Amino acid sequence: MTGLPIGDGRVIHMVGIGGAGMSGLARLALQAGYRVSGTDRTGSSVLTDLEALGARVSVGHAAAAIGPDVDTLVVSTAIGLDNPERREAARRGIPIEHRSELLVELMRGHRGLCVAGAHGKSTTSAMLLAALGDASACIGATIAGGDGTGAVWGNGEWFVAEADESDRSLLRLEPEGVILLNVDHDHHTTYASIDEVEDVFAEFLTRVPGNGMIVAGPEPSGDTRAWRLARASGRPHRLIGEAPDAWARLGLRDADGVWVEVADGRRVKVRLQVPGVHNATNAACALALADWCAVPLDLAATRLAGFAGVGRRFEYRGAAAGVVVIDDYAHHPAEIRATLQGARERHSGRIVAIFQPHLFSRTRALADDLADALGAADVVIVTEIYAAREANDPGISGKRVADAIAGPTYAEFAPTLPAAAAAAARLVRPGDMVLTLGAGDITGLGEDLLRRLEYEYQDQPAGGGASHSD
């Protein structure tokens, strides 16, 4: 493993070790010679797998979980100052390190590549990893070869990582190459406006060396902020899309794939298993950076053939009573629009969306836009808000989103996940595609719905469906 860092037995304790980002870091750290312990709120197969690799894990947060040999506590921004393990580390004088600092340590000895942007980072990072062939990676979603995490050590010189703008931690990274997919206003407790988001991405691009590379994608909204930042960076850049100075554009798309047409005359077809023009664009961005990394374009496209996505990105969960269930992480209006557009490409029947809003702040700021995006489905069920790291805000509810969805889409509010599964079982009919959407714990709802359908409709088709006037 080229450039593999050696932990030299250093003991790190990771709070929230079972999370998508932290579990990948834990896996890499274990393989790099660190000794790892950690806690998470609930048990999971991820914890079991990490334990099998040598981590010391426990369920529940408690000061006693920090052993006497711990050298460093590793936390994400989601871990508050009142966390008992964080308080215990401060009491004992144990250094507290943000997870991005551990990522920087693990990337040393490699040549870093980062994928940034408001949407599509995990999928594009996994596409870039595939196109490179034998790179290392730390991605915020489960990937092939990651043993239930988003992390893998390769033998090559490149290391692919997501650049997280949500807490500005991307400014700790020093990549040689960057893909900036898009610029959009999200993380409303961190950024007051899209201009602040743009400023952070602009600063991040200054961390690319003068001989590095920036690849910029087209904005889903038609805006050109990512292109503008790439042009203004003073670094070499490659634009993807219909810009006059674009490095490549998307050509003909058909059931067999999409053509990527490079301005120098090269042309390659990419065959993906994931739907949507946004994924075709993600693939073109990954090809552009892989090409800069000296991977022949044809070879990179061949490696991308059959790319089936990452965990919780249009992930097939099963079928019952003639109903297909898909799970997706989409929780921002732009992501919901892209996911539903991809579903329309893939499925000719009705689309039923079950949406769990994520964060009070995001829902308050984007309720109408969320409703507008969800209106692309035929039937929508909206649950109560998943608070995550935020305190309860009685002034905003998921019902606000449901009530704002206009006809002819049928919409209703189901406050709990069991209520949403029951509503879906009542509303679906054979030939429907159900999408569970959100960044919270809605990911388990699909299995619940499938069990209900299998039980309730063993000898008959699923329920009769609904119209907006029902």
Side-chain angles (χ1 to χ4, degrees):
M1 288 176 278
T2 302
L4 180 64
I6 303 300
D8 291 331
R10 176 184 166 205
V11 181
I12 58 175
H13 181 84
M14 306 181 70
V15 186
I17 195 171
M22 294 287 268
S23 61
L25 287 170
R27 184 173 188 265
L28 294 177
L30 286 163
Q31 294 174 307
Y34 294 76
R35 294 162 59 200
V36 177
S37 66
T39 59
D40 208 55
R41 287 184 298 178
T42 58
S44 66
S45 60
V46 172
L47 296 189
T48 302
D49 291 342
L50 289 174
E51 197 166 30
L53 288 172
R56 186 175 69 242
V57 299
S58 56
V59 175
H61 296 304
I66 304 179
D69 56 348
V70 170
D71 299 305
T72 306
L73 190 80
V74 180
V75 299
S76 70
T77 305
I79 305 302
L81 296 175
D82 60 345
N83 177 274
E85 292 159 53
R86 189 163 185 165
R87 288 202 309 266
E88 176 66 8
R91 185 188 70 81
R92 288 165 49 183
I94 297 172
I96 300 174
E97 182 175 278
H98 189 270
R99 67 177 185 177
S100 59
E101 296 174 86
L102 177 59
L103 176 60
V104 170
E105 290 180 29
L106 292 166
M107 291 178 74
R108 287 188 186 127
H110 291 79
R111 301 178 68 185
L113 303 171
C114 287
V115 179
H119 321 294
K121 292 188 290 293
S122 295
T123 296
T124 308
S125 295
M127 287 178 170
L128 178 58
L129 175 65
L132 291 171
D134 193 16
S136 302
C138 190
I139 297 169
T142 57
I143 60 172
D147 291 336
T149 74
V152 62
W153 280 119
N155 292 305
E157 61 182 336
W158 299 105
F159 191 117
V160 178
E162 288 188 39
D164 184 6
E165 83 284 2
S166 68
D167 54 6
R168 294 187 169 89
S169 61
L170 79 173
L171 298 179
R172 292 189 174 100
L173 306 175
E174 296 183 354
E176 291 187 42
V178 164
I179 297 174
L180 178 59
L181 293 165
N182 41 61
V183 180
D184 204 348
H185 189 195
D186 198 2
H187 312 295
H188 295 82
T189 58
T190 303
Y191 302 104
S193 69
I194 192 171
D195 293 331
E196 288 189 9
V197 180
E198 183 173 319
D199 288 344
V200 166
F201 282 133
E203 183 177 352
F204 175 59
L205 295 185
T206 67
R207 303 184 72 79
V208 177
N211 62 349
M213 175 55 64
I214 297 168
V215 174
E219 304 291 338
S221 63
D223 199 355
T224 58
R225 288 177 182 264
W227 289 348
R228 187 167 69 249
L229 290 178
R231 291 182 180 120
S233 68
R235 274 67 174 170
H237 57 269
R238 295 178 171 183
L239 310 185
I240 305 301
E242 297 300 324
D245 55 340
W247 182 82
R249 59 181 291 276
L250 296 183
L252 179 67
R253 294 177 64 230
D254 56 32
D256 191 38
V258 60
W259 286 97
V260 176
E261 300 173 347
V262 184
D264 63 13
R266 288 179 293 167
R267 189 168 178 261
V268 66
K269 194 166 194 179
V270 181
R271 295 169 172 85
L272 303 172
Q273 292 183 29
V274 287
V277 66
H278 62 296
N279 279 317
T281 300
N282 293 341
C285 290
L287 289 178
L289 193 53
D291 178 82
W292 178 77
C293 294
V295 179
L297 198 63
D298 288 343
L299 176 57
T302 298
R303 288 170 172 169
L304 274 179
F307 178 81
V310 298
R312 297 219 60 216
R313 273 62 170 185
F314 213 83
E315 183 176 0
Y316 176 80
R317 287 300 174 90
V323 176
V324 174
V325 177
I326 303 292
D327 185 43
D328 197 277
Y329 189 70
H331 56 280
H332 184 279
E335 297 164 354
I336 293 169
R337 288 188 180 94
T339 299
L340 292 178
Q341 181 265 333
R344 289 291 184 198
E345 288 185 5
R346 182 65 61 86
H347 186 70
S348 60
R350 293 196 317 168
I351 303 296
V352 178
I354 310 174
F355 175 61
Q356 182 187 54
H358 187 256
L359 300 179
F360 293 103
S361 59
R362 180 182 288 120
T363 308
R364 180 180 290 279
L366 300 176
D368 288 336
D369 203 9
L370 287 166
D372 182 69
L374 288 164
D378 299 293
V379 176
V380 178
I381 300 164
V382 182
T383 77
E384 195 48 274
I385 298 165
Y386 185 82
R389 57 189 175 273
E390 294 185 345
N392 182 57
D393 180 354
I396 186 66
S397 166
K399 189 174 186 299
R400 166 75 174 78
V401 177
D403 289 346
I405 297 172
T409 299
Y410 174 81
E412 66 176 66
F413 175 63
T416 67
L417 295 184
R426 167 172 51 86
L427 294 169
V428 297
R429 61 193 186 206
D432 287 352
M433 174 182 282
V434 175
L435 289 95
T436 55
L437 305 171
D441 56 359
I442 193 172
T443 183
L445 188 148
E447 284 79 0
D448 184 9
L449 175 60
L450 288 167
R451 286 192 296 269
R452 287 172 182 263
L453 293 176
E454 289 169 353
Y455 176 76
E456 294 180 23
Y457 303 103
Q458 296 177 64
D459 302 314
Q460 57 182 312
S467 67
H468 190 71
S469 59
D470 284 350

